[in-house]
Amino acid sequence: MPRVIECVPNFSEGRNKEVIEAIASGIAGTDGCTLLDVDPGASTNRTVYTFVGSPESVVEGALNAARVAYHAIDMRKHTGEHPRIGALDVCPFIPVQNVSMEDCIDCAKEFSEKLALELGVPVYLYGEAADNEDRKHLPQIRAGEFEGLPEKLCKPEWKPDYGLAEFVPNWGATVVGARTFLVAFNINLLATKEQAHRIALNIREQGRGKDQHHIHRRMRLRPGRMKNVQAIGWYLDEANLAQVSVNITDYKSTPIHMVYEEILKDAQELNLAVVGSQIVGLVPLEAIIQVADYYMEKDNLFILEEDQKLRLVINRLGLNSLGPFSPKERIIEYMISEDKEGPLISMDIRDFILTVGSRSPTPGGGSVAALSAALGAALGAMAGFLSYGNKKFYELDAKMRKLLPPLYKTMKDLMSFVDADAAAFSEYMLASKLPQDTEEDKALREEAMQDGLMTAVHVPLTVSRITNSMWPTLKELATVANINCKSDLQVGVRTLETAVWGTFYNVMTNLKDLKDDEIKAKVKKEIDAAVHLAQASCAEILSILDGRNE
């Protein structure tokens, strides 16, 4: 898997289209960088750019953007609703794929050093990149904003991490960091700026300052209700509404829906209308699915398909209120992924069968075993669906809501292994064709072949694990499911047993050439146990089904 880091620079320009596009071009024109999103705001006078690339590429992409901004933005003329300290106000690096937080910290420090050296601007480190505990949080560094920077730079405790402690009038300062995903989430209110900010003070972790408790007698007793939340209230002239603008720094601990519901409570207490919300930049898929799960549980909804869950979230949060929310353009996983479906699973049935029956060694038994497992799971899911939402079996609805999701998810998960098995074989064959001219060549070839064999063992072993995870669910389903699906379940469990046997044969044929005896013994023990479990479970479920004659 390629190494991918996300970079989200925020520039203090949201109105001049030419400048916004020039900065975007600086990023997009960098080799190895993919610009995913450009999100300008007129009232905030700020544009958030999101791009991804290798560690080396994202540093260069951020530098190219900064070079454009240095000549195009003059902070002496800047006004806007959003707090800011410089032309390139903040530039975080975020791990996405096959990289660590340490990698992002290295990027942040390399970028900071190069930025300060080339442009002669002061740079502060924040987040995980900060060496100074007092600079971990962005609001602490940005306090006083651009206007207070000349005085700030004179204080020893605010000496920049990179660059000289000298005020650069056209630029200000830049804050660079490394962090996990931050969700920028704005909730729309038919209210004044002051009312929106009042709610922001209620919910943000920082709460109110000492001089802010007089604002509202009832509210002052509950400041800072939400962990991992930064918030401010502002007014959007172009939309004629106010917003509580929120940064959620840890969406796993403080989900989006929790923030939305808390703001909704405060708005209702103040008799203010909430009219949708807005996600700025990109958002992780997990953060959106969290919201779907919450409203599904809250309203007792039963939804399996991912795209339907996304529709539910868009509707409940009003994410289309200020512009279309397109999941393919706003969810990070969708943006960086290549085609999710491999060439084999994308084939129609006829072509797949003909390809298996050709002279090509792939797809072979491993791919067929994975497909068999997916089909077995599919028959289980079918039996569940035909037992759900049917007036004749209405008493089973609650149970089917419990049994269907794991079967349906497993069915979809197994599909990817049809191509994974063929890819594992190709990896091994490529390794076998490496040169053997020198002793070093031979050693490298042997190492690559052993790695290829490990992959070829791991793929079917994983398929056996996933397949065997379904037996408890299928046993419960066989006991109560629509009797008209009896034969379908019988075929399904036999197919799953066959799939596990298929994984056994594929594991064993590759295991014999592995040189690590300890791994061989461990894998052999596991795959033997997998076959025994599949045989016993299949027999037990068939017995249950044979006993059902009603």
Side-chain angles (χ1 to χ4, degrees):
M1 294 175 67
R3 304 175 73 207
V4 180
I5 286 178
E6 181 188 49
C7 183
V8 189
N10 289 220
F11 287 91
S12 297
E13 177 55 71
R15 300 167 185 166
N16 189 317
K17 186 178 179 181
E18 290 183 1
V19 174
I20 293 169
E21 290 179 351
I23 293 172
S25 296
I27 296 168
T30 306
D31 287 343
C33 287
T34 301
L35 181 62
L36 301 179
D37 188 59
V38 179
D39 199 337
S43 291
T44 57
N45 200 6
R46 183 182 187 85
T47 299
V48 179
Y49 298 81
T50 305
F51 66 98
V52 293
S54 66
E56 301 77 18
S57 298
V58 291
V59 169
E60 190 58 33
L63 281 170
N64 285 336
R67 290 173 182 129
V68 174
Y70 187 80
H71 297 287
I73 298 175
D74 188 342
M75 288 301 295
R76 290 168 292 191
K77 302 175 183 177
H78 183 274
T79 58
E81 290 283 349
H82 200 290
R84 77 283 184 269
I85 198 172
L88 169 51
D89 185 56
V90 59
C91 185
F93 293 87
I94 301 132
V96 174
Q97 179 177 279
N98 202 26
V99 292
S100 65
M101 184 59 73
E102 282 299 321
D103 294 322
C104 292
I105 293 171
D106 290 342
C107 285
K109 292 185 176 181
E110 180 185 351
F111 171 70
S112 298
E113 183 176 12
K114 290 181 176 180
L115 183 72
L117 186 63
E118 181 175 335
L119 300 185
V121 298
V123 180
Y124 293 99
L125 294 175
Y126 86 106
E128 297 296 326
D131 296 319
N132 186 332
E133 280 297 319
D134 293 333
R135 299 181 185 183
K136 288 285 185 183
H137 302 291
L138 184 58
Q140 292 174 305
I141 303 173
R142 206 156 48 191
E145 298 192 44
F146 171 77
E147 289 75 12
L149 190 57
E151 180 182 350
K152 195 170 197 171
L153 285 166
C154 294
K155 299 177 180 179
E157 64 270 24
W158 284 108
K159 181 178 180 289
D161 292 291
Y162 292 89
L164 299 175
E166 295 178 1
F167 181 58
V168 182
N170 66 303
W171 184 268
T174 293
V175 189
V176 180
R179 60 166 173 79
T180 56
F181 275 109
L182 177 149
V183 178
F185 180 52
N186 300 337
I187 296 84
N188 307 326
L189 301 172
L190 298 183
T192 65
K193 173 183 176 179
E194 290 74 20
Q195 288 171 320
H197 192 59
R198 183 184 305 171
I199 295 174
L201 294 173
N202 292 337
I203 68 160
R204 69 183 188 181
E205 183 171 8
Q206 179 184 349
R208 285 183 167 79
K210 292 180 179 178
D211 60 338
Q212 295 171 316
H213 288 279
H214 67 280
I215 293 176
H216 194 279
R217 188 177 62 183
R218 285 182 298 166
M219 297 291 190
R220 69 185 180 188
L221 298 178
R222 24 176 226 180
R225 295 203 304 268
M226 308 198 76
K227 296 288 186 183
N228 311 303
V229 168
Q230 302 164 351
I232 189 173
W234 59 40
Y235 199 85
L236 295 183
D237 291 322
E238 65 269 27
N240 195 27
L241 53 77
Q243 285 187 325
V244 179
S245 179
V246 176
N247 282 343
I248 304 173
T249 58
D250 184 352
Y251 68 85
K252 294 182 180 181
S253 300
T254 307
I256 293 173
H257 61 265
M258 186 183 295
V259 174
Y260 183 78
E261 291 293 325
E262 282 297 306
I263 290 173
L264 192 61
K265 289 178 187 175
D266 281 12
Q268 289 171 344
E269 187 173 337
L270 293 172
N271 297 317
L272 301 175
V274 174
V275 287
S277 63
Q278 172 191 37
I279 287 178
V280 181
L282 302 187
V283 62
L285 176 61
E286 180 186 27
I288 297 296
I289 296 300
Q290 279 181 323
V291 182
D293 290 343
Y294 169 78
Y295 286 111
M296 286 164 56
E297 182 178 354
K298 179 183 178 184
D299 298 331
N300 195 28
L301 304 175
F302 183 59
I303 303 171
L304 287 177
E305 290 288 354
E306 192 169 277
D307 66 326
Q308 293 181 353
K309 291 181 180 181
L310 299 182
R311 288 187 182 188
L312 175 68
V313 174
I314 292 168
N315 176 266
R316 291 301 171 89
L317 298 185
L319 291 177
N320 284 330
S321 57
L322 295 181
F325 180 89
S326 171
K328 290 183 178 179
E329 298 174 358
R330 305 306 295 277
I331 293 176
I332 182 70
E333 288 85 351
Y334 294 170
M335 292 291 291
I336 68 171
S337 67
E338 299 175 359
D339 187 7
K340 285 187 174 182
E341 293 188 343
L344 296 178
I345 200 66
S346 300
M347 288 182 178
D348 63 35
I349 295 174
R350 181 179 184 277
D351 286 344
F352 182 83
I353 293 171
L354 290 174
T355 304
V356 172
S358 70
R359 291 177 61 87
S360 171
T362 57
S367 292
V368 171
L371 180 61
S372 298
L375 288 170
L379 284 168
M382 184 192 81
F385 276 120
L386 291 176
S387 306
Y388 172 76
N390 187 322
K391 185 177 180 181
K392 186 177 179 181
F393 305 104
Y394 73 93
E395 74 280 0
L396 296 178
D397 279 5
K399 187 172 285 292
M400 290 305 120
R401 286 188 176 209
K402 170 191 166 189
L403 299 179
L404 260 170
L407 290 173
Y408 193 79
K409 180 181 185 301
T410 303
M411 173 192 76
K412 298 190 80 171
D413 288 345
L414 283 165
M415 290 165 63
S416 65
F417 287 92
V418 175
D419 282 278
D421 188 85
F425 179 80
S426 297
E427 180 185 335
Y428 175 76
M429 292 306 295
L430 285 172
S432 70
K433 294 175 182 178
L434 290 173
Q436 306 181 67
D437 300 331
T438 66
E439 290 302 316
E440 183 180 1
D441 286 342
K442 291 177 182 178
L444 289 172
R445 176 179 178 273
E446 180 61 29
E447 182 181 355
M449 289 178 66
Q450 288 295 304
D451 287 344
L453 284 169
M454 278 301 302
T455 304
V457 167
H458 178 73
V459 171
L461 191 63
T462 303
V463 171
S464 72
R465 292 168 183 163
I466 296 173
T467 303
N468 279 338
S469 71
M470 287 185 281
W471 296 119
T473 303
L474 287 166
K475 179 181 175 182
E476 194 171 352
L477 182 67
T479 305
V480 298
N482 183 345
I483 191 63
N484 296 321
C485 299
K486 178 178 176 178
S487 63
D488 302 298
L489 279 172
Q490 288 168 325
V491 173
V493 295
R494 277 293 189 196
T495 303
L496 290 171
E497 181 193 21
T498 300
V500 176
W501 270 112
T503 65
F504 172 84
Y505 293 126
N506 274 271
V507 167
M508 295 306 296
T509 196
N510 291 300
L511 200 61
K512 67 181 190 301
D513 293 321
L514 272 180
K515 293 186 175 180
D516 190 319
D517 290 335
E518 184 178 345
I519 290 178
K520 287 173 70 170
K522 184 178 180 181
V523 171
K524 175 68 164 58
K525 182 179 180 181
E526 180 177 348
I527 198 65
D528 282 343
V531 169
H532 291 311
L533 175 60
Q535 287 180 299
S537 299
C538 178
E540 183 180 8
I541 292 172
L542 288 175
S543 177
I544 292 171
L545 291 168
D546 287 340
R548 290 190 62 192
N549 298 310
E550 71 274 13

